[in-house]
Amino acid sequence: MLQVIFLSKEGLISIDDRLMGVNDVSMVMYDKRVADPQIVVSLKGDEEAEMGLVSDIHENLREVEALKLNYSSKTLVD
């Protein structure tokens, strides 16, 4: 299963069309990883998104052992 996490240049994080804070990522992704241990996460961020927030999301994913991760960056439509 592929799970997409969107990150806007304003720092908004979206999983399954729900906006959340960076600390909520681990709770949501823990449940998804338990349901599918082979889950792959695609982090799609605006090219102007802050790298610190990308690192925070990555750390939250690491905490819940969602370790299959790919990154992409593109200017997202406002």
Side-chain angles (χ1 to χ4, degrees):
M1 177 173 130
L2 177 67
Q3 177 63 55
V4 179
I5 299 175
F6 293 100
L7 175 60
S8 75
K9 65 183 174 184
E10 296 83 13
L12 299 174
I13 301 166
S14 174
I15 300 176
D16 296 335
D17 294 328
R18 290 185 4 218
L19 293 177
M20 61 189 63
V22 68
N23 295 326
D24 299 321
V25 171
S26 58
M27 291 185 300
V28 170
M29 292 307 301
Y30 175 79
D31 291 338
K32 291 182 176 290
R33 192 199 49 80
V34 168
D36 180 6
Q38 298 301 315
I39 193 166
V40 176
V41 179
S42 178
L43 180 55
K44 295 186 176 192
D46 188 286
E47 66 185 359
E48 294 181 24
E50 292 198 22
M51 189 59 199
L53 189 52
V54 172
S55 293
D56 291 345
I57 292 170
H58 188 181
E59 185 61 34
N60 276 286
L61 293 171
R62 186 178 297 143
E63 288 173 7
V64 298
E65 298 180 12
L67 304 176
K68 295 179 183 178
L69 176 64
N70 68 57
Y71 297 93
S72 63
S73 173
K74 187 173 184 178
T75 302
L76 301 176
V77 178
D78 290 317

